Amino acid sequence: MSVTICQSMGFVVSALGIGGIIASTCMDQWSTQDLYNNPVTAVFNYQGLWRTCVRESSGFTECRGYFTILGLPAMFQAVRALMIVGIVLGLLGLFVCIFALKCIRIGSMEDTAKANMTLTSGIMFIVAGLCAITGVSVFANMLVTNFWMSTTNMYQGMQNVQNRYTFGSALFVGWVAGGLALVGGIMMCLACKGLIPEESRYKAVSYNASGRNISYRTGPYKGGSGYEADPRTRKGVGYEEAPRSEDGRRPYPSKYDYV
């Protein structure tokens, strides 16, 4: 029962995390204009991964997408790639995890196959969460660097740089969503161990004799002087003595005459 609960909770937590990653990727408020020195302004700027927006005091909002790829910074494109990879891996993990749930039976699927699918989906969730956390952290580092550079230029009297950007709500959503996906993946990996049948964990190998049980009798050891009697004088099982003639010779040679 605990394995089913752990697997179900891992699926739900991972699904929430993947949904949050998708939402944060689509959000426009990755970076918002800092209004510390100018709290009252007629124009408010905020930017996302796919477009930049301007909101006026009248409530009118205009957004414009990035129509170029080569003109964007390399780190910005890396953040895009990380978020997309996290979404793809997360969706694949959810698809695999649905068929791996213990409460769902599909045909004659064994518990070992479900355990392997659970482990695979858990690894996908963990990688997806790490991609999301890394992407959001890289973007946050870019914002911090640009913020302090803009602040330094403003203190030096360069009034042409006025807009400073700070963390947007999408960053916090991405951090929380990445953490949820990571925790859900760990729970799925823990549930995998409980799905493995007991008989497949420890496989004992038994060896049986291929033939009958043969017992051997050991007689007493007799030490000899090195001189053995003539084999022709030996009599034993299977030995048949040929008839002799009147002069003591056999009419035909015996099998021991060549020894």
Side-chain angles (χ1 to χ4, degrees):
M1 187 65 180
S2 59
V3 177
T4 306
I5 294 176
C6 182
Q7 189 183 35
S8 302
M9 289 298 296
F11 174 75
V12 173
V13 173
S14 300
L16 293 176
I18 301 303
I21 293 174
I22 296 174
S24 64
T25 305
C26 298
M27 290 177 65
D28 294 327
Q29 294 186 355
W30 278 67
S31 59
T32 58
Q33 184 179 354
D34 183 33
L35 302 178
Y36 177 75
N37 293 329
N38 190 12
V40 179
T41 179
V43 179
F44 178 71
N45 298 322
Y46 55 93
Q47 298 176 353
L49 293 179
W50 312 103
R51 60 181 183 174
T52 178
C53 300
V54 177
R55 185 176 63 193
E56 298 180 356
S57 58
S58 59
F60 178 76
T61 303
E62 181 180 359
C63 296
R64 182 179 180 181
Y66 301 120
F67 299 106
T68 180
I69 297 179
L70 299 178
L72 297 175
M75 298 300 294
F76 191 85
Q77 297 180 8
V79 172
R80 280 182 170 183
L82 287 172
M83 300 303 293
I84 292 175
V85 169
I87 292 174
V88 172
L89 288 177
L91 293 178
L92 290 177
L94 289 176
F95 181 76
V96 174
C97 186
I98 290 175
F99 296 99
L101 292 176
K102 193 174 182 180
C103 57
I104 298 177
R105 283 290 179 183
I106 301 176
S108 59
M109 183 180 296
E110 299 180 355
D111 291 338
T112 305
K114 284 184 174 291
N116 295 332
M117 295 175 66
T118 302
L119 180 61
T120 302
S121 61
I123 293 174
M124 287 184 177
F125 291 146
I126 291 175
V127 176
L130 291 177
C131 287
I133 293 174
T134 304
V136 174
S137 300
V138 170
F139 194 90
N141 182 55
M142 293 172 54
L143 287 179
V144 171
T145 303
N146 294 331
F147 182 87
W148 291 114
M149 289 180 61
S150 301
T151 303
T152 302
N153 292 333
M154 290 177 61
Y155 288 158
Q156 291 179 355
M158 301 176 63
Q159 300 297 328
N160 55 343
V161 181
Q162 293 291 340
N163 293 335
R164 294 184 305 177
Y165 290 91
T166 185
F167 295 168
S169 58
L171 297 181
F172 302 101
V173 174
W175 274 318
V176 174
L180 289 176
L182 185 62
V183 172
I186 294 175
M187 294 178 66
M188 295 296 291
C189 293
L190 293 177
C192 169
K193 185 177 180 181
L195 291 174
I196 301 176
E198 294 290 339
E199 60 271 9
S200 63
R201 294 184 185 178
Y202 307 100
K203 296 182 179 180
V205 180
S206 60
Y207 298 93
N208 297 324
S210 58
R212 299 178 180 177
N213 293 330
I214 303 174
S215 59
Y216 298 93
R217 294 182 178 178
T218 58
Y221 175 78
K222 296 181 179 181
S225 59
Y227 297 95
E228 298 292 338
D230 190 272
R232 289 175 292 183
T233 61
R234 296 178 182 176
K235 293 183 180 181
V237 179
Y239 176 81
E240 295 181 359
E241 185 179 2
R244 299 176 180 270
S245 60
E246 295 179 356
D247 55 354
R249 296 182 180 180
R250 298 187 185 94
Y252 54 87
S254 175
K255 58 182 178 179
Y256 292 103
D257 292 340
Y258 300 98
V259 179

